[in-house]
Amino acid sequence: MTDDTAHDGRVWLGTPPFPEAARTALADTRLRHNLRHATTAIRTKRLEATGEVPHWEELREAGAAVKRRTARHLAHYLEQVESSVTAAGGTVHWASDAAEANRIVERLVRAAGGGRDAGPHEVVKVKSMATQEIGLNEALAAAGITAYETDLAELIVQLGEDRPSHILVPAIHRNRAEIREIFAERMGEWGRAAPADLTDDPRALAEAARLHLREKFLTARVAISGANFAAADTGTVAVVESEGNGRMCLTLPETLITVMGIEKVVPTFTDLEVFLQLLPRSSTGERMNPYTSLWTGVTPGDGPQDFHLILLDNGRTDVLADTVGRQALACIRCSACLNVCPVYERTGGHAYGSVYPGPIGAVLTPQLTGIRRAASLPFASTLCGACYEACPVKIDIPEILVHLRSKAVEATREDRALPTSEALAMRAASTVLDSPTLLGVIQRAAAAGGRLTSGRGGRIRRLPGPLGGWSAARDTPSPPRQSFRAWWRENREER
């Protein structure tokens, strides 16, 4: 699939370009307050958890090394994990894109008799970025199958007919009062209603969600999950979570369907030792995940007796072909880069228009969908490097951003019959800088114009005409009243 061809999935949700969406988000003061409060708390916990590990940098390098090794030999490890899962009693399916993955899941749910009683078919779901990526809930709904999200934050998003805005905390943009309102108004439409006297106390909200979901856990015959990791040598699949809802889904239903991006495979079971230390500290600031579920195929009399693993490509092999961009496939979805990003903290996840928000989304989404569909995302960054410093597997996100910016510029140049205003400006700059006389004229004119347009603090708030695009998102310093060449000429003559 070519770089400019979009995959048939939901990675890119078709919202306005990032600059336009960001302006709207910046005007929402409640959103900014919620984000600042949440990301600050997560950052603080993460720094405490990582700071107590004396060999943290060695762990990061170990995780990065495993991911590099996996990327170099991905085809081998995928074939190995297929053999291992099959030998353990599971069934492996290969999905080239979102549409194929959704068809496989629908077929498996129907074959399992999901919702054997009268009424719509029903499945319970563990929080999964891969299923969001392919739009699985929407595809199942179109087929008459209802998917119930069991993660608390995902439940909030589902009941509120909202979209996730964070990889780890999908409802990070909501406060307690908003969540109470959503539960009170919508919970009854999806099953057990919320108590009439429900308050916004976190314990009360959690208890309402627990009672609402308990019936679904006990009656569902089919569960759908993602996967954090899968060991190629044993076929063991791992899901880590904090609430226990995943454990309920992974053990009670008769059929378990796991949708996993092909990049989630790791070579050996012992590699999990590294990632199960990196992931919880980087994501939730905990020493270990409260619930770590591992399973290998099926075990007679224990847990699901029918296990299906769907290996999802959906553009990942195209990403793998890019020697710079492939770093993004090492992501373990910890969200540490989001929590330290000054851009994300001010705009939130919805502005990115993707199921993958924040810095990692800015590099992953354009590669999965094609640079032309998400050309503004690589520019949604200050290139401050905080994301690289926080990444537990040392993905050099700033390097990928710069790489993708060049691709975006090249794609724009190819798509336009006439050169862009930026290209014309660069040509003009080349001509001016090549002529000392012309440069002096322009410097004197800029100094005069700067005095007319500058505001307080000696900064130009808005440049005139077509130059306004440059100053729309940044303050521009006023040109100096005297150029260095003029200053040097005067001072040299005085001596």
Side-chain angles (χ1 to χ4, degrees):
M1 184 170 288
T2 60
D3 183 62
D4 59 348
T5 302
H7 298 279
D8 185 20
R10 296 259 306 177
V11 182
W12 178 250
L13 302 176
T15 57
F18 181 84
E20 181 180 339
R23 279 193 291 271
T24 302
L26 287 170
D28 189 338
T29 55
R30 182 168 64 175
L31 171 67
R32 294 180 65 178
H33 176 270
N34 293 347
L35 288 168
R36 183 170 60 252
H37 175 76
T39 55
T40 299
I42 297 173
R43 280 200 305 268
T44 301
K45 286 188 63 178
R46 173 189 161 274
L47 288 173
E48 292 174 353
T50 58
E52 67 184 21
V53 182
H55 57 282
W56 179 249
E57 289 305 314
E58 288 81 357
L59 269 177
R60 289 182 69 208
E61 183 54 44
V66 171
K67 285 295 187 176
R68 288 194 298 268
R69 173 185 170 195
T70 303
R72 285 197 300 269
H73 308 288
L74 184 57
H76 166 72
Y77 293 125
L78 288 174
E79 292 177 355
Q80 188 178 15
V81 79
E82 179 185 30
S83 299
S84 300
V85 170
T86 302
T91 304
V92 175
H93 310 262
W94 298 80
S96 61
D97 57 23
E100 186 174 9
N102 289 333
R103 286 195 299 269
I104 294 171
V105 173
E106 179 189 346
R107 173 170 54 82
L108 293 175
V109 171
R110 294 197 184 284
R116 63 188 183 280
D117 302 323
H121 290 197
E122 299 178 349
V123 299
V124 289
K125 281 188 70 218
V126 185
K127 180 181 180 297
S128 163
M129 297 299 296
T131 59
Q132 290 177 14
E133 175 187 325
I134 63 177
L136 179 61
N137 287 11
E138 294 80 6
L140 291 179
I145 300 169
T146 303
Y148 292 98
E149 296 289 351
T150 64
D151 175 82
L152 178 57
E154 288 287 356
L155 175 65
I156 294 167
V157 170
Q158 185 177 50
L159 292 177
E161 296 182 340
D162 200 352
R163 291 191 289 111
S165 62
H166 192 276
I167 290 177
L168 179 68
V169 193
I172 196 172
H173 56 290
R174 298 288 193 182
N175 59 34
R176 294 186 303 177
E178 292 174 292
I179 295 169
R180 190 212 70 81
E181 184 178 346
I182 291 171
F183 279 11
E185 292 182 358
R186 300 299 309 280
M187 196 169 270
E189 300 176 19
W190 290 75
R192 180 167 179 158
D197 59 348
L198 181 65
T199 69
D200 65 0
D201 178 71
R203 295 181 61 181
L205 295 172
E207 181 65 15
R210 184 180 297 112
L211 295 174
H212 172 79
L213 291 171
R214 186 57 54 90
E215 180 183 354
K216 304 302 180 186
F217 287 136
L218 296 176
T219 59
R221 297 183 63 189
V222 180
I224 299 173
S225 82
N228 292 99
F229 311 101
D233 61 342
T234 63
T236 303
V237 182
V239 166
V240 297
E241 35 115 11
S242 300
E243 300 171 11
N245 61 292
R247 179 69 56 81
M248 300 284 279
C249 292
L250 297 169
T251 56
L252 291 177
E254 299 171 11
T255 298
L256 173 59
I257 304 168
T258 297
V259 182
M260 184 185 83
I262 56 176
E263 80 280 13
K264 295 298 186 70
V265 67
V266 295
T268 69
F269 184 84
T270 55
D271 291 326
L272 296 178
E273 177 187 357
V274 173
F275 295 107
L276 292 180
Q277 294 182 74
L278 289 170
L279 181 55
R281 286 180 168 86
S282 298
S283 56
T284 58
E286 297 170 296
R287 294 184 179 92
M288 63 182 294
N289 292 97
Y291 295 89
T292 299
S293 299
L294 305 172
W295 70 96
T296 306
V298 297
T299 302
D302 183 15
Q305 297 301 291
D306 192 15
F307 170 56
H308 298 268
L309 176 63
I310 300 174
L311 296 174
L312 175 69
D313 186 332
N314 205 37
R316 286 161 173 78
T317 53
D318 292 334
V319 180
L320 190 66
D322 187 326
T323 55
V324 176
R326 70 170 58 160
Q327 296 179 70
L329 294 180
C331 176
I332 60 175
R333 308 293 191 265
C334 69
S335 76
C337 61
L338 281 72
N339 299 325
V340 299
C341 177
V343 176
Y344 175 86
E345 186 180 279
R346 288 157 178 78
T347 64
H350 292 163
Y352 291 82
S354 169
V355 299
Y356 298 113
I360 189 62
V363 297
L364 189 57
T365 300
Q367 296 189 86
L368 291 177
T369 66
I371 191 66
R372 286 173 170 82
R373 295 197 77 190
S376 66
L377 287 187
F379 297 89
S381 170
T382 64
L383 299 179
C384 67
C387 49
Y388 172 66
E389 295 299 327
C391 179
V393 290
K394 305 183 76 169
I395 301 172
D396 195 342
I397 293 178
E399 179 188 25
I400 309 174
L401 286 168
V402 173
H403 173 66
L404 292 177
R405 287 180 183 187
S406 68
K407 284 195 168 188
V409 171
E410 185 62 32
T412 301
R413 183 181 297 117
E414 293 175 357
D415 292 342
R416 295 175 65 101
L418 297 175
T420 64
S421 57
E422 182 180 17
L424 292 174
M426 291 299 103
R427 291 180 187 175
S430 177
T431 301
V432 170
L433 295 174
D434 199 41
S435 169
T437 302
L438 187 55
L439 176 61
V441 172
I442 295 297
Q443 286 176 329
R444 290 191 293 273
R451 288 194 291 272
L452 296 175
T453 58
S454 61
R456 289 186 302 175
R459 295 184 180 275
I460 300 174
R461 299 295 181 182
R462 182 75 178 179
L463 288 170
L467 299 177
W470 172 263
S471 59
R474 56 179 69 82
D475 291 336
T476 306
S478 298
R481 294 178 179 273
Q482 185 181 41
S483 70
F484 173 79
R485 295 170 66 216
W487 177 89
W488 177 257
R489 188 164 48 248
E490 290 179 4
N491 283 270
R492 184 178 59 180
E493 290 173 356
E494 289 177 2
R495 289 198 303 270

